[in-house]
Amino acid sequence: MSEDFLKVALAAKEAAAELAPLPRAPKDAALRVIADALVSRAAEIVAANALDVERAREGGLSEYMIDRLRLDVARVEAVAEAVRQVADLPDPVGEVIRGNTLPNGLELRQLRVPLGVIGIIYEGRPNVTVDAAALCLKSGNATLLRGSSSAYESNTVLVRIMQDALAGTEVPAGAVQLVPGLTRDSVKELMRARGLVDVLIPRGGASLINSVVEESTVPVIETGVGNCHVYVDADADQDLAVEILLNSKVQRPSVCNAAETFLVHAAVADTFVPRALAALAAEGVTVHGDDRIAAYGDVVPAGEEDFSVEYLSLDIAAAVVDSLEDAVAHIRKYGSGHTDAIVTRSVSASRRFVALVDSAAVAVNASTRFTDGGEFGFGAEIGISTQKLHARGPMGLPELTSTKWVYTGEGHLRTGAGTVIASCAAGAE
Amino acid sequence: MSEDFLKVALAAKEAAAELAPLPRAPKDAALRVIADALVSRAAEIVAANALDVERAREGGLSEYMIDRLRLDVARVEAVAEAVRQVADLPDPVGEVIRGNTLPNGLELRQLRVPLGVIGIIYEGRPNVTVDAAALCLKSGNATLLRGSSSAYESNTVLVRIMQDALAGTEVPAGAVQLVPGLTRDSVKELMRARGLVDVLIPRGGASLINSVVEESTVPVIETGVGNCHVYVDADADQDLAVEILLNSKVQRPSVCNAAETFLVHAAVADTFVPRALAALAAEGVTVHGDDRIAAYGDVVPAGEEDFSVEYLSLDIAAAVVDSLEDAVAHIRKYGSGHTDAIVTRSVSASRRFVALVDSAAVAVNASTRFTDGGEFGFGAEIGISTQKLHARGPMGLPELTSTKWVYTGEGHLRTGAGTVIASCAAGAE
């Protein structure tokens, strides 16, 4: 581990210990100081960002990517406003999740506590640097930020401004750290920093996330890869099905909760597929269909990869299935466990679909686009977990916490082995 | 991956999909059939176990280890009774954790769902084979069991009996699988079975757990290593402190929630340490003390390793500290994040200790031995998590579940980007 990395990681760990016990007020105050500092020093940020944009141009980055990278004063003000919104959210730390008095009189409480040090690995957009730091700070966590090298100048200034701002508050300035270095090595160091980093959250494309999951010895929360399905059941209201399909695909094609495949029950294929193809074509969507879809119109032939891929574009795969169970089997085989929707009038069909589809979110007669921390009312979101441990689906502030059991007695002693089943009391096994 | 392993892993995954949607009744019925089968076929189990015990004898295993390995008819009946107790527990699957109607009318629900396939790596005692399988089955999960090679004959028969019993029930027989092979390779295969296994729970000593944590690409829940502390504050009731210290150390020294170190505030060392040394000596406990403890009596000099080690025996490390903050610093440096206790009359001291100690459980004026699923009223426990993600502290049935978001509308479409902060909607970043 390089000295540079060890230095920031230890600083983050130390800051995390100071930050964890702080109540809400000083954390909110610190967030507002950060927001003000970002606005008052916007010129510095825009100047540094210009260097990143210039290098990106020389490097031949696409205009789309350059636009995601660019910060102007208006965008900096929007970032600052987002920080103020985080300050306005309730503090998850200290919430009593469970609590009761045990038969022996012990008062048992399960409290939310911060995770500690959260490592964030992300791409492109420098606003994530501030968003992620703010969410982690609000939930009592220190942050180790490893953004894209393409935004290094911007991120360096943004982190310096946040640290300068914190220096005047009760929150330790070390609570926000930028991982030094532009090489892949710094990502590897983050993934190997077990004991210094409590959790890693990679936010980006499938390849980034998979490499982190494979190589990290630090616990990882996978986010953001979405191969979402819309299944049109035999009992579907077809007008409604067309609208849900269109909204799921075209309302914002570039995001993880957009639909990438639609499945149609054979019983309604004759009427629904032609309507769907026409409606999608009218929105400029290219359909990659299997043979049974192709029978109804002009589509690009779909191969295996079309059902596995996350297009993030105006493309959608399509297939006809013979039953709800076949639709579920397709989703289990090709899906990413993000969000899958059924359109049906049948209570029985919706019950079966919800029970059998093993995804973070299941939508019934609604667009897949609603799987979102904002839409769910979380107020903020650090990403959408597609794994089963710890957090599944949109992650708000509570998902950035762990828990602690506290029990209070007055000299309570344990007598007898209690009613332990398969406990660690099994000889520390 | 070997064909043998792939076969059982795929069988478990298939069974998990069938088991997940089952309601409580068929799962409880299957558990009772298993319990009956264990009792009626106890002779087979005892015969197979005799082969393991014989081999262990030839291998020169200690009498203590052999006793943990041995099964007789009475112990088999106790194992069966434990399975019936699991059947009597409430089913966590389907519990609605959060739910509300969104401003747009969408009905949002967060439900508990099974994790899927749970791999358990454990040592010695064959009863864990049945305990773990029963807890996983009750929570809707399939199990891949990898027990100690020393118990292979016993585990093979126990799993066969469970599978035979399930064959006559609604629960698929494949839901309980023994990982084939006696070599370390089969452990490695389990740790590399990402996509086939949803979570790995190693139950055993620190070396086993650390190697799994280091090498596994499957998400891991660490359990069971406990270096627990009792801190005697300046404001402690000393009679009470002596009792809590003794109970924490000697009531069951071999388990993870037993105390391994006690820390005494300098202000009360003169009166408390001599009493503690006398009381511990009377119970046959060897004290490994620092210089300041040694000033009060005859102790074994304590080195760094004494403060880090989990004795699991009638030994305890001891040190004098100058403040509550120094006690916390010691616990943060040497502790395992399991359970740490403070003995004090001071509300302020207990508040600070609870806030600053970053462990799964913090006890105030109570023995560390209460950190236990049975004592907490969970009814059952698969282990005690000492990590921060997903589950922390005693793990009952709810800790063996994930969650699923379900939202139901009537053609709800999303318009506008909503109030997303740092969302995956950030260009699928």
Side-chain angles (χ1 to χ4, degrees):
Chain A
M1 196 170 285
S2 71
E3 271 187 25
D4 289 355
F5 178 82
L6 194 61
K7 186 158 151 292
V8 296
L10 287 170
K13 185 172 181 167
E14 194 177 309
E18 288 178 54
L19 175 55
L22 286 184
R24 174 175 179 172
K27 291 188 289 187
D28 290 356
L31 287 167
R32 296 202 166 87
V33 171
I34 285 173
D36 295 344
L38 290 167
V39 172
S40 64
R41 295 173 65 174
E44 281 174 64
I45 298 166
V46 173
N49 181 253
L51 299 175
D52 288 327
V53 169
E54 190 183 339
R55 195 187 305 100
R57 273 249 160 60
E58 291 162 1
L61 208 63
S62 72
E63 274 311 311
Y64 170 71
M65 295 301 286
I66 286 173
D67 182 60
R68 289 174 61 196
L69 177 60
R70 185 184 296 105
L71 289 175
D72 54 29
V73 171
R75 286 185 177 184
V76 170
E77 280 167 355
V79 170
E81 184 50 36
V83 173
R84 293 192 182 95
Q85 285 176 31
V86 172
D88 291 337
L89 293 173
D91 185 351
V93 175
E95 181 193 353
V96 178
I97 301 171
R98 287 184 275 184
N100 62 305
T101 300
L102 299 178
N104 59 13
L106 271 182
E107 291 172 6
L108 181 66
R109 307 285 181 262
Q110 185 183 31
L111 311 175
R112 284 199 189 281
V113 297
L115 284 162
V117 176
I118 299 180
I120 316 265
I121 302 174
Y122 54 103
E123 298 170 343
R125 301 161 67 259
N127 65 304
V128 174
T129 304
V130 178
D131 291 333
L135 289 166
C136 291
L137 192 159
K138 175 77 182 207
S139 49
N141 299 290
T143 328
L144 274 175
L145 298 157
R146 206 295 183 180
S148 165
S149 51
S150 67
Y152 194 71
E153 300 290 342
S154 312
N155 292 341
T156 301
V157 170
L158 287 167
V159 169
R160 188 188 312 133
I161 290 172
M162 288 191 280
Q163 290 177 337
D164 292 349
L166 290 176
T169 73
E170 290 181 51
V171 173
V176 178
Q177 298 286 347
L178 188 67
V179 174
L182 294 163
T183 65
R184 289 277 305 163
D185 295 359
S186 60
V187 177
K188 286 210 188 314
E189 289 185 304
L190 204 46
M191 295 191 293
R192 293 283 154 184
R194 192 174 184 88
L196 291 169
V197 181
D198 293 288
V199 57
L200 263 188
I201 304 178
R203 300 186 57 226
S207 62
L208 167 70
I209 291 163
N210 290 335
S211 75
V212 173
V213 162
E214 275 301 315
E215 298 174 38
S216 181
T217 59
V218 175
V220 174
I221 298 178
E222 298 176 58
T223 68
V225 175
N227 179 9
C228 304
H229 297 71
V230 174
Y231 164 61
V232 179
D233 186 51
D235 287 330
D237 174 323
Q238 295 196 22
D239 300 336
L240 195 146
V242 170
E243 287 188 67
I244 288 173
L245 173 58
L246 284 180
N247 186 259
S248 299
K249 176 71 257 184
V250 308
Q251 200 252 340
R252 196 166 178 190
S254 66
V255 299
C256 62
N257 58 17
E260 306 290 10
T261 300
F262 73 95
L263 304 169
V264 182
H265 192 291
V268 292
D270 289 351
T271 51
F272 181 76
V273 176
R275 290 186 59 182
L277 295 181
L280 288 163
E283 296 283 346
V285 178
T286 302
V287 175
H288 305 251
D290 69 354
D291 299 349
R292 298 170 75 176
I293 293 286
Y296 297 102
D298 203 10
V299 299
V300 178
E304 284 283 303
E305 67 288 349
D306 286 293
F307 293 113
S308 309
V309 74
E310 186 182 20
Y311 290 116
L312 300 173
S313 61
L314 286 175
D315 294 83
I316 192 163
V320 173
V321 293
D322 291 319
S323 67
L324 182 147
E325 285 65 28
D326 286 358
V328 169
H330 180 106
I331 291 166
R332 281 186 171 265
K333 181 176 179 186
Y334 297 104
S336 65
H338 188 299
T339 301
D340 301 293
I342 180 173
V343 185
T344 187
R345 290 195 209 85
S346 162
V347 170
S348 169
S350 69
R351 266 175 60 95
R352 275 181 295 146
F353 190 81
V354 166
L356 296 175
V357 169
D358 184 27
S359 298
V362 180
V364 178
N365 297 331
S367 170
T368 57
R369 292 274 296 117
F370 286 105
T371 302
D372 175 290
E375 294 296 318
F376 281 10
F378 295 176
E381 176 186 283
I382 192 130
I384 296 180
S385 165
T386 52
Q387 71 179 35
K388 292 182 180 179
L389 278 194
H390 185 69
R392 196 178 194 201
M395 294 176 63
L397 291 170
E399 284 68 34
L400 294 176
T401 65
S402 181
T403 59
K404 177 192 286 183
W405 289 98
V406 178
Y407 51 91
T408 305
E410 37 192 337
H412 281 64
L413 309 177
R414 184 165 167 188
T415 55
T419 53
V420 181
I421 300 172
S423 142
C424 85
E429 159 146 341
Chain B
M1 196 170 286
S2 71
E3 270 185 28
D4 289 356
F5 178 82
L6 194 61
K7 188 159 150 288
V8 295
L10 287 171
K13 185 172 183 169
E14 193 176 310
E18 287 178 55
L19 174 55
L22 286 184
R24 175 175 179 172
K27 291 188 289 187
D28 290 357
L31 287 167
R32 296 201 167 86
V33 172
I34 285 173
D36 295 344
L38 290 167
V39 172
S40 65
R41 296 174 66 174
E44 280 174 64
I45 299 166
V46 173
N49 180 253
L51 299 174
D52 288 327
V53 169
E54 189 184 340
R55 194 187 306 102
R57 274 248 158 62
E58 291 161 0
L61 208 63
S62 72
E63 275 310 312
Y64 170 72
M65 296 301 285
I66 286 172
D67 181 62
R68 288 174 60 197
L69 177 60
R70 185 185 295 107
L71 288 175
D72 55 27
V73 171
R75 286 183 176 184
V76 170
E77 279 166 357
V79 169
E81 184 49 35
V83 173
R84 293 192 182 95
Q85 287 176 29
V86 171
D88 291 337
L89 293 173
D91 184 351
V93 175
E95 181 192 353
V96 179
I97 300 171
R98 287 184 275 184
N100 62 303
T101 300
L102 300 178
N104 59 14
L106 271 181
E107 290 173 10
L108 182 66
R109 307 283 182 263
Q110 185 182 31
L111 311 175
R112 284 199 189 281
V113 297
L115 284 163
V117 176
I118 299 180
I120 316 265
I121 302 174
Y122 54 103
E123 297 170 343
R125 302 161 62 258
N127 64 303
V128 173
T129 304
V130 178
D131 291 333
L135 289 166
C136 291
L137 190 160
K138 175 77 183 208
S139 49
N141 298 291
T143 328
L144 274 175
L145 298 157
R146 207 297 184 178
S148 165
S149 51
S150 67
Y152 194 70
E153 299 290 342
S154 312
N155 292 340
T156 301
V157 169
L158 287 167
V159 168
R160 187 187 311 131
I161 290 172
M162 288 192 279
Q163 290 177 336
D164 292 350
L166 289 176
T169 74
E170 290 181 52
V171 173
V176 179
Q177 299 285 347
L178 186 68
V179 174
L182 294 163
T183 65
R184 288 278 304 165
D185 295 358
S186 60
V187 176
K188 287 210 188 313
E189 289 185 303
L190 204 47
M191 295 192 293
R192 293 283 152 185
R194 192 172 186 89
L196 291 169
V197 181
D198 293 289
V199 58
L200 263 187
I201 304 177
R203 299 186 58 227
S207 62
L208 167 70
I209 289 163
N210 290 336
S211 74
V212 173
V213 162
E214 276 300 314
E215 297 173 38
S216 182
T217 59
V218 175
V220 174
I221 298 178
E222 299 176 58
T223 70
V225 175
N227 178 10
C228 303
H229 297 71
V230 174
Y231 165 62
V232 179
D233 186 51
D235 286 328
D237 174 323
Q238 296 196 24
D239 299 339
L240 195 146
V242 171
E243 287 188 68
I244 288 173
L245 173 58
L246 284 181
N247 185 260
S248 299
K249 178 72 254 184
V250 308
Q251 200 253 339
R252 198 166 178 189
S254 65
V255 299
C256 62
N257 58 18
E260 305 291 11
T261 300
F262 73 94
L263 304 169
V264 182
H265 192 291
V268 291
D270 287 352
T271 51
F272 182 76
V273 176
R275 289 188 58 183
L277 294 180
L280 288 162
E283 295 285 344
V285 178
T286 303
V287 175
H288 305 252
D290 70 354
D291 298 349
R292 298 169 76 177
I293 294 285
Y296 297 102
D298 205 7
V299 299
V300 179
E304 283 284 301
E305 66 290 347
D306 285 294
F307 294 112
S308 309
V309 73
E310 184 182 22
Y311 290 116
L312 299 173
S313 61
L314 285 175
D315 295 82
I316 192 163
V320 173
V321 293
D322 291 318
S323 66
L324 181 146
E325 285 65 28
D326 286 358
V328 169
H330 181 106
I331 290 166
R332 281 186 171 267
K333 180 175 179 188
Y334 297 104
S336 64
H338 189 299
T339 302
D340 301 293
I342 181 173
V343 185
T344 187
R345 290 195 208 84
S346 161
V347 170
S348 168
S350 68
R351 267 175 59 96
R352 275 182 294 144
F353 190 81
V354 166
L356 295 175
V357 169
D358 185 26
S359 297
V362 180
V364 178
N365 296 332
S367 170
T368 58
R369 291 274 297 116
F370 287 105
T371 303
D372 175 288
E375 294 295 319
F376 280 10
F378 296 176
E381 176 186 282
I382 193 131
I384 296 180
S385 166
T386 51
Q387 72 179 35
K388 292 182 179 179
L389 278 193
H390 184 70
R392 198 177 191 201
M395 294 175 61
L397 291 170
E399 285 68 35
L400 293 177
T401 64
S402 182
T403 59
K404 177 192 288 183
W405 289 98
V406 178
Y407 51 91
T408 305
E410 35 192 338
H412 281 65
L413 309 178
R414 183 166 168 188
T415 55
T419 54
V420 181
I421 301 172
S423 140
C424 83
E429 156 147 318

